[in-house]
Amino acid sequence: MRQTGDRLRGAVRRAHLWLGLGLGGLFVLLGLTGSILAFYPELDALLHPEVRVEGSAPPDWDQALRTLRTAYPEKQGNWRFEVTDTPGALPARYYKPPERDGYAFRPMMVWLSRDGRRIIRRDYWGEYAVTFIYDLHYRLLLGETGGKVLGWSGFALLALLLSGIWAWWPRGSWRKALRFKPNAPAQRCLRDWHKLVGLTGAAFLLILTITGIMLELPEESDAALNAIGLAVEHPPHVHEDGGSAGSANLIPPSQAIDAAIRALPGARLAWIETPAARQGVYRMRMQVPGDPSFRFPHSFVWVEGATGKVFAVQNARKASQGATVNNWVHPLHDGSAGGLFGRALVAILGLFPLVLFSTGLMRWKGRQGRNANSASAHSA
């Protein structure tokens, strides 16, 4: 029985070794880019100081929309404003700009002054530093194909982490298994660093890997949740015209905001999606108490653009069990569920794959060199 256990442990260690050598580079890439993305809005503001405008006056969304319609008359579709709740420029997005036709995702990004009268900056997603890094982390710059590759590779990364835990799991003294010897030979020190860093971050890295898989493979993830009895409901399908006739006299954003707040009292407004220029609906994305996601919460209010009437509401507090699980996936993955501490933790954890890969690779190379020397000695 013990021999069988030894053979199994040896097989697991070999699997861990080759998974680490084969996937270590990908693991490091995802970790380092994830560290950066934990604070990517703040990093982007540092790289572009022009958006850090002075003053904390309430934003004028009505004027901001008029400014965008005037500055970009060819863009008659929906604009989305992010409500940041912090001083600074007003971020806006226009999805599928015609000048970037052919890209799967390349919205035009615009920043306006607080009063909505001036355009401070314009750029395109993926064409400036932090969004390039985001696309690299999320889809390896390969679009939907890259997302699928990362999603399925996530299972191999899970196997890498679990095989490491299995290979380490002590059969005797836990104290001995957790011991660190700073004055030991180099190979022992590398082993101890690899072991202790891996054990320290194991639970968190498992969470990040599982949530990453769920983000990359949403359909498969929903099917798995449904299969275990956690039903996943999908948001209501709302036609762009909202069931009302087109009108050249749409209500301003401020009026739609008031209607949404009345529909979900106590909720925080996070995003404003405007109708197209002449018809459609406002979609307000809102954070209700208990929703873990600050930037991308999961409650919505749809308001008719012509009349200001609320005709659909999705309240995250009434979500099914599976949908509630999904609501936690992104804020767990980027650490925002834990506020500033959670984001800092994710930023630190992103460095762990680099340490694990480096120590594992150096240890493997050291053993290869030692085996080569031993073989040379015997042949001599």
Side-chain angles (χ1 to χ4, degrees):
M1 180 66 73
R2 185 176 180 82
Q3 290 180 345
T4 301
D6 290 340
R7 287 196 295 269
L8 179 59
R9 183 180 289 256
V12 171
R13 284 177 173 168
R14 287 191 295 274
H16 182 71
L17 169 64
W18 293 113
L19 283 171
L21 293 175
L23 295 173
L26 177 62
F27 202 20
V28 171
L29 173 68
L30 294 177
L32 294 179
T33 53
S35 288
I36 295 171
L37 293 176
F39 290 94
Y40 88 87
E42 292 83 358
L43 179 59
D44 185 58
L46 286 175
L47 296 174
H48 297 275
E50 66 271 20
V51 304
R52 303 202 303 272
V53 297
E54 297 295 332
S56 56
D60 190 335
W61 303 114
D62 298 354
Q63 180 60 54
L65 182 58
R66 287 194 295 268
T67 298
L68 292 173
R69 294 288 189 207
T70 301
Y72 307 107
E74 75 283 4
K75 294 178 172 59
Q76 297 294 302
N78 313 86
W79 283 92
R80 294 187 188 181
F81 295 99
E82 182 176 3
V83 183
T84 62
D85 287 354
T86 58
L90 308 182
R93 302 181 179 190
Y94 189 88
Y95 286 76
K96 297 184 178 179
E99 65 270 26
R100 292 298 185 272
D101 191 29
Y103 289 94
F105 186 78
R106 192 58 61 99
M108 186 173 81
M109 315 290 283
V110 181
W111 290 259
L112 300 100
S113 59
R114 298 289 296 180
D115 60 9
R117 296 183 181 276
R118 293 183 298 111
I119 292 175
I120 299 172
R121 175 187 166 202
R122 188 196 72 165
D123 220 321
Y124 292 89
W125 182 275
E127 297 179 15
Y128 57 101
V130 294
T131 55
F132 177 86
I133 293 171
Y134 197 108
D135 283 349
L136 181 61
H137 180 84
Y138 182 43
R139 289 186 168 176
L140 298 176
L141 306 179
L142 298 175
E144 292 185 4
T145 299
K148 294 294 183 182
V149 169
L150 278 179
W152 293 110
S153 297
F155 289 100
L157 292 177
L158 270 182
L160 172 63
L161 292 169
L162 292 173
S163 62
I165 296 172
W166 188 339
W168 163 83
W169 199 267
R171 291 179 294 181
S173 170
W174 282 74
R175 183 177 179 180
K176 182 179 179 181
L178 294 170
R179 184 182 304 164
F180 176 75
K181 292 184 175 181
N183 298 319
Q187 282 291 304
R188 174 59 190 261
C189 281
L190 287 172
R191 175 190 173 189
D192 286 350
W193 274 111
H194 189 83
K195 169 185 69 178
L196 294 178
V197 170
L199 291 174
T200 301
F204 299 107
L205 292 174
L206 285 170
I207 291 172
L208 291 174
T209 303
I210 293 170
T211 53
I213 293 171
M214 295 177 73
L215 289 170
E216 298 288 8
L217 303 173
E219 293 181 3
E220 293 83 353
S221 174
D222 287 352
L225 289 172
N226 284 318
I228 62 175
L230 300 177
V232 178
E233 63 184 9
H234 295 284
H237 178 71
V238 178
H239 293 288
E240 186 178 322
D241 62 9
S244 61
S247 171
N249 298 314
L250 296 174
I251 63 170
S254 58
Q255 189 173 334
I257 291 170
D258 290 341
I261 291 174
R262 288 194 298 270
L264 271 181
R268 182 190 68 85
L269 181 65
W271 289 84
I272 304 164
E273 182 177 339
T274 73
R278 292 189 175 274
Q279 69 175 22
V281 302
Y282 282 93
R283 187 178 74 151
M284 305 298 177
R285 189 166 191 167
M286 309 181 76
Q287 183 185 23
V288 297
D291 189 328
S293 185
F294 182 86
R295 284 197 73 202
F296 300 101
H298 306 93
S299 296
F300 298 88
V301 177
W302 287 266
V303 181
E304 287 186 354
T307 66
K309 178 183 177 182
V310 172
F311 68 92
V313 176
Q314 179 183 340
N315 189 335
R317 286 176 291 193
K318 299 179 181 180
S320 64
Q321 290 179 317
T324 299
V325 171
N326 282 338
N327 291 351
W328 278 87
V329 171
H330 191 273
L332 282 175
H333 190 74
D334 67 8
S336 60
L340 180 61
F341 173 81
R343 295 167 67 197
L345 179 61
V346 166
I348 294 170
L349 287 167
L351 304 176
F352 278 37
L354 176 61
V355 176
L356 291 171
F357 182 59
S358 299
T359 54
L361 183 62
M362 285 189 290
R363 186 162 182 257
W364 175 72
K365 283 187 173 182
R367 292 174 65 183
Q368 292 295 103
R370 187 171 58 191
N371 291 340
N373 291 335
S374 176
S376 298
H378 282 93
S379 62

